[in-house]
Amino acid sequence: MDIQTNIQFLKGVGEVRAKLFFRLGVNTVGDLLSFYPRGYEDWSNPVPIWEAPAGQVCCVRGIVSHTPSVHRIPGGTLLVKTMVTDGAGLMNLTFFNNKYVVNQLTEGEEYLFFGKVTVNQYGGREMLSPRFAKREQAQRIRPVYRQTEKLSSKTIETCMLRAFESLEGKVEETLPDFMIEKYKLLPLFDALRAIHFPSDAQDVEDARRRLIFEELLFLQLGLFRLRESRQDTSGVVLERDHTEEFLRRLPFSLTNAQRHATGEALADMRSDRPMNRILQGDVGSGKTAVAAALIYNAAKNGYQSALMAPTEVLAEQHLRTFAQFFQDSGISFALLTGSNTAKEKREIKARLKKGEISLIIGTHALIQNTVEFQNLGFVITDEQHRFGVDQRAALTKKGDHSHVLVMSATPIPRTLGLIIYGDLDISVLDELPPGRQPVKTYRVDTSYRERIYRFMQKQIHAGRQVYVVCPLIEEGETDLVPAEQYAEQLRSGSFRGYQVGLLHGRMKNTQKDAVMQAFHRGEIQVLVSTVVVEVGVDVPNATVMVIENAERFGLSQ
C-alpha cells in the first residue's frame, strides 16, 4: 500500500465507507493523511471525578459500576443510564437514543469519558451523552475531524491510525535535507503523524510549521513558474506618453501615490512585455483616475480599452465617471450589459469591430464570442475577486497580448497581496486625495446596540444615509439575525417611520438595481443588505456602515 492507493482498500474502509470519504474529498490514502483535524480533544490527563469542573468540558476516568439500564420516556425518547466511579467520586451518565451503549460499556471495565460536566439538584456530577473509549485506546490528545452523515470523527480517527500503520517508511520526503536542517523542520511523515496524533501542544505547533512552510514554498514556486510563462512579447506598445496632457484636463491634482502608480503602469505599457498589474487601494483612494489616465494614453496611441465590472450598476457608475473625465477629448465610449436591447447590442458591437469606440464598459457581456475589437490594447477588471482567472483571460485574448490592469479595494497587506496575486505586479494607492476624511472603524458588542441606533438616527437627521450588512438572507439553523428579519425589526421598532430598504442576492437583477438606485437617490435612509452590496454603486451620502456578526465575513468582504 502507498499514498496513491484508493481509500477503499484501506483496512476497515470498503466500498460503502469509501463513498462517504469521497464526499469529503478523500479519494486516496494520501488524501486521508492530508485531511487535517479541525481541532483536538485532550484526553491525556483525565481529572478526578470530584474535581471535574461544573459547566466545562473535560475528561474523566471511571469504572462502570453497573450494566447500563434502558428506559423509554413519553414521546419515544430512549434513555440509557449508568454510573461510573474512580474510587473517590461517582458520576451519573445518561445517553439519548443510543441503544448500542448497553453492549459497549461493560460493568467492571475502566473507560475514559469526555463531555460537559453538570451538577444535579443533589450536588451529584453528571455527563449527558459523553464520548467514551477504553483507557488504553484513548488516553492521549485526540483529533476531531470534519465529518459527514454516517462517517463520524471517531471512525475517521480509526482509519487514520490504520493508514499510518500501513505507510510507515513509505511516505517520500518532499523537501531536501539541507532545507529541513536549515529551517529546523520536521520530516514529512513525522509532521503528518504529529498533526493527527500529537503528544502535546508543541507537537501540533511543530507539525503546522512544517506543513505550512511546504505549502507556501510550493505556492511560491508555482507563482514563479506562472510569471515565467507570461514573458510573451506584447503586440501593444504605447509609443507616446500623453499623461500630462490628460492631467491638465482634470479639475484636481493627482496624489503622489496616483502619479507613482500611473508611472509604473505606463512604463509597462511602453515596454514590449504585456502589463499584468493590480492596482490596490481603499475606497476613495482614486483608482479610477489612474485607470482613466491609462485609458487616455491607450486611446491617443490608437488602441481600444475595455473595462469589465461585476454588476450593471457598477458598470453604469463607471460610465458616468469616465464621461466626466473624457468630455470633449475625442475619446468615444459605450456601455454594454445584459440590459441593452438587441438593436443596441448589434450597433455597439459593430462600432467596436470598426474601431469607432475607444472605451467599452460592461459586465460579463464583454467576454461573449460575438464581441470583437479592431485593436484592443488595454483591459481593466474592477473588483478582481469577483472574477475568475478564466474570465479575465477570455477578455484579454480579444487583443494581441493586451495590457491588463485589475483594480481592487480589498485592504490587504502587500506581502499577502504577493501571495494572492503572485502572477501580477502590484501598485498600491496608500494615500487619500485632499479633503477625503479617514474611515474610522470600531468593534463593539451587542450592549452598544441602542447607542448605535441613536448614532444612526442622528446621521439620518443630518441628511445622511446608513448601510446595515448581515451575513444571512433568511432564517436558518443559527442564532444569527438574517437580513429579512433585521429589516422588519428596524421598520417596526427603532426606525419606525424611516425609509428602510432590503437588498440580497436572491432578488432579481432588476429589483436589486431598483433598490440601489433608490438608495443612491436618497429615497432609502437605511439599507439592510447581505454582501451583495459590496459591489454596489458609490453613495457618497452614506456615512455609516454597521456590520452585524463581522466575524462571519472574509477579509475581502
Side-chain angles (χ1 to χ4, degrees):
M1 178 173 292
D2 59 29
I3 61 173
Q4 299 299 328
T5 301
N6 190 302
I7 190 68
Q8 175 182 340
F9 301 110
L10 178 67
K11 182 181 178 181
V13 177
E15 185 176 352
V16 174
R17 190 169 281 169
K19 292 179 180 178
L20 300 176
F21 272 111
F22 293 163
R23 293 183 193 173
L24 294 173
V26 176
N27 300 299
T28 66
V29 178
D31 291 338
L32 182 63
L33 298 189
S34 298
F35 190 73
Y36 303 138
R38 63 175 178 83
Y40 300 91
E41 294 175 346
D42 190 354
W43 296 47
S44 62
N45 294 300
V47 299
I49 290 176
W50 65 274
E51 289 183 8
Q56 295 186 30
V57 174
C58 66
C59 181
V60 300
R61 181 174 60 240
I63 297 172
V64 177
S65 60
H66 61 264
T67 301
S69 58
V70 180
H71 311 270
R72 192 173 294 277
I73 61 176
T77 300
L78 187 73
L79 297 184
V80 179
K81 294 187 174 185
T82 188
M83 181 181 289
V84 297
T85 179
D86 59 3
L90 294 171
M91 178 173 283
N92 293 308
L93 305 180
T94 302
F95 299 86
F96 296 92
N97 294 322
N98 188 347
K99 62 183 179 181
Y100 303 106
V101 172
V102 176
N103 298 321
Q104 292 171 334
L105 292 177
T106 304
E107 182 179 345
E109 293 286 335
E110 187 176 44
Y111 299 84
L112 294 180
F113 299 90
F114 191 92
K116 185 176 182 179
V117 179
T118 58
V119 177
N120 61 29
Q121 58 184 334
Y122 305 109
R125 281 175 164 73
E126 298 180 338
M127 272 190 183
L128 301 180
S129 297
R131 291 182 290 284
F132 60 89
K134 289 190 174 181
R135 178 184 175 185
E136 62 272 15
Q137 297 173 341
Q139 192 162 338
R140 52 187 168 80
I141 296 176
R142 299 185 62 185
V144 179
Y145 296 98
R146 178 168 56 90
Q147 53 196 17
T148 186
E149 187 179 2
K150 298 181 181 179
L151 188 61
S152 66
S153 176
K154 183 177 180 180
T155 300
I156 296 173
E157 179 186 357
T158 301
C159 293
M160 196 72 70
L161 284 166
R162 290 171 180 159
F164 277 100
E165 291 171 0
S166 302
L167 293 176
E168 184 78 43
K170 298 179 183 178
V171 175
E172 186 177 350
E173 179 57 61
T174 52
L175 298 180
D177 292 340
F178 82 86
M179 191 174 288
I180 293 174
E181 184 176 346
K182 179 179 179 179
Y183 295 104
K184 296 181 174 56
L185 303 173
L186 290 177
L188 179 58
F189 189 75
D190 292 347
L192 289 170
R193 182 156 46 194
I195 201 72
H196 290 287
F197 304 109
S199 300
D200 51 35
Q202 188 59 48
D203 265 5
V204 177
E205 184 61 31
D206 292 342
R208 280 173 50 83
R209 183 171 176 272
R210 156 63 202 246
L211 297 171
I212 290 172
F213 179 96
E214 180 171 308
E215 285 187 18
L216 292 178
L217 174 66
F218 289 174
L219 175 61
Q220 288 296 308
L221 292 174
L223 294 175
F224 281 134
R225 290 190 64 181
L226 192 58
R227 280 178 177 269
E228 289 178 359
S229 69
R230 64 173 176 86
Q231 298 301 317
D232 302 314
T233 299
S234 176
V236 180
V237 179
L238 304 192
E239 300 291 346
R240 300 178 303 281
D241 183 350
H242 293 267
T243 305
E244 291 304 319
E245 176 185 319
F246 171 74
L247 296 182
R248 286 194 295 271
R249 300 177 51 82
L250 298 179
F252 56 85
S253 298
L254 296 189
T255 63
N256 290 331
Q258 287 174 306
R259 283 182 173 274
H260 183 68
T262 301
E264 287 180 326
L266 196 59
D268 290 347
M269 297 172 78
R270 299 193 69 188
S271 72
D272 60 357
R273 183 178 67 88
M275 176 176 72
N276 277 276
R277 184 171 291 276
I278 179 171
L279 180 62
Q280 191 272 314
D282 204 354
V283 174
S285 60
K287 297 185 295 295
T288 308
V290 174
L294 301 176
I295 292 169
Y296 188 90
N297 271 286
K300 294 302 180 180
N301 278 273
Y303 294 102
Q304 294 170 294
S305 298
L307 187 151
M308 185 164 63
T311 67
E312 291 189 14
V313 174
L314 193 55
E316 291 168 0
Q317 177 181 305
H318 278 307
L319 180 71
R320 291 191 293 271
T321 302
F322 286 114
Q324 296 172 353
F325 283 142
F326 299 140
Q327 187 176 7
D328 300 325
S329 67
I331 295 177
S332 57
F333 46 85
L335 179 70
L336 182 62
T337 68
S339 294
N340 290 108
T341 65
K343 181 181 178 182
E344 288 173 339
K345 290 177 182 177
R346 286 195 301 270
E347 291 176 351
I348 292 171
K349 291 174 184 177
R351 292 178 61 207
L352 262 182
K353 190 173 182 179
K354 292 177 182 177
E356 296 175 359
I357 295 176
S358 299
L359 168 64
I360 185 71
I361 301 167
T363 55
H364 298 80
L366 294 179
I367 61 178
Q368 294 175 348
N369 293 332
T370 54
V371 177
E372 298 180 66
F373 294 81
Q374 185 187 72
N375 199 10
L376 178 63
F378 184 33
V379 170
I380 310 123
T381 55
D382 193 13
E383 297 293 349
Q384 164 61 20
H385 63 279
R386 284 287 181 153
F387 294 105
V389 174
D390 291 342
Q391 292 170 320
R392 194 175 81 204
L395 184 55
T396 306
K397 288 177 182 177
K398 292 181 180 292
D400 183 9
H401 296 108
S402 302
H403 298 294
V404 177
L405 180 75
V406 298
M407 300 194 297
S408 175
T410 306
I412 55 176
R414 188 178 185 88
T415 49
L416 184 57
L418 288 169
I419 294 172
I420 298 174
Y421 301 113
D423 63 325
L424 303 174
D425 298 312
I426 298 180
S427 292
V428 179
L429 299 183
D430 52 7
E431 60 179 312
L432 294 176
R436 297 292 178 104
Q437 297 299 311
V439 175
K440 296 180 180 180
T441 304
Y442 302 93
R443 175 188 175 274
V444 298
D445 59 32
T446 53
S447 66
Y448 279 75
R449 186 171 301 283
E450 291 306 317
R451 184 174 169 183
I452 290 171
Y453 284 173
R454 288 195 297 272
F455 178 67
M456 291 164 59
Q457 290 165 349
K458 182 179 178 181
Q459 291 293 309
I460 293 170
H461 292 159
R464 302 300 186 180
Q465 293 162 274
V466 177
Y467 289 100
V468 178
V469 183
C470 299
L472 300 177
I473 296 176
E474 57 187 24
E475 196 166 3
E477 296 179 0
T478 71
D479 57 357
L480 305 179
V481 179
E484 290 180 338
Q485 182 181 334
Y486 198 108
E488 189 55 41
Q489 287 178 357
L490 294 185
R491 291 187 187 114
S492 59
S494 299
F495 289 83
R496 183 191 299 270
Y498 292 81
Q499 295 301 314
V500 179
L502 176 64
L503 182 71
H504 58 73
R506 292 183 189 168
M507 297 167 65
K508 295 179 180 178
N509 286 335
T510 52
Q511 294 174 313
K512 287 188 286 188
D513 290 347
V515 171
M516 282 308 303
Q517 293 294 359
F519 190 55
H520 186 261
R521 292 192 299 267
E523 297 167 6
I524 293 174
Q525 295 168 306
V526 180
L527 180 61
V528 180
S529 174
T530 57
V531 293
V532 69
V533 80
E534 70 180 282
V535 287
V537 297
D538 180 23
V539 183
N541 194 49
T543 55
V544 178
M545 177 176 285
V546 178
I547 302 176
E548 291 283 349
N549 300 105
E551 74 280 359
R552 292 296 184 119
F553 297 100
L555 178 62
S556 69
Q557 291 173 321

